[in-house]
Amino acid sequence: LEHAWCVAVRPHANNVTVGFDEGVVIVKLGCDEPALSMDPASKLVYTRNTDVLSTNLQAAVDVETPEGQRVHLPVRE
């Protein structure tokens, strides 16, 4: 990841998001490892407890979701 072009924080959370030319990284402050990572092909990789999970955000493009609602994505281990 070379050129960072965006930094965002979430109020009342310890997360900092950094947008790069090659993807996105979310870092949880107080932790040395990213909370999740996304590559240019919209593949999202994250952990839940001891499991490494991934999903493809391209699957959400075809689904019509009202603004402000959660997007349900298929998860693979």
Side-chain angles (χ1 to χ4, degrees), residues 37-68:
S37 180
M38 185 174 73
D39 68 5
S42 298
K43 181 179 177 184
L44 187 68
V45 179
Y46 60 100
T47 60
R48 182 179 296 149
N49 299 325
T50 59
D51 298 325
V52 177
L53 306 171
S54 68
T55 189
N56 192 337
L57 296 179
Q58 291 292 341
V61 172
D62 298 332
V63 179
E64 183 88 16
T65 305
E67 188 172 333

Side-chain angles (χ1 to χ4, degrees), residues 1 3-9 15-21 23-27 38:
L1 301 176
H3 297 96
W5 48 266
C6 179
V7 176
V9 295
N15 295 339
V16 175
T17 304
V18 182
F20 292 91
D21 289 338
V24 176
V25 174
I26 298 176
V27 178
M38 185 174 73

Side-chain angles (χ1 to χ4, degrees), residues 9-15 28:
V9 295
R10 210 171 140 200
H12 311 294
N14 290 337
N15 295 339
K28 189 170 192 174

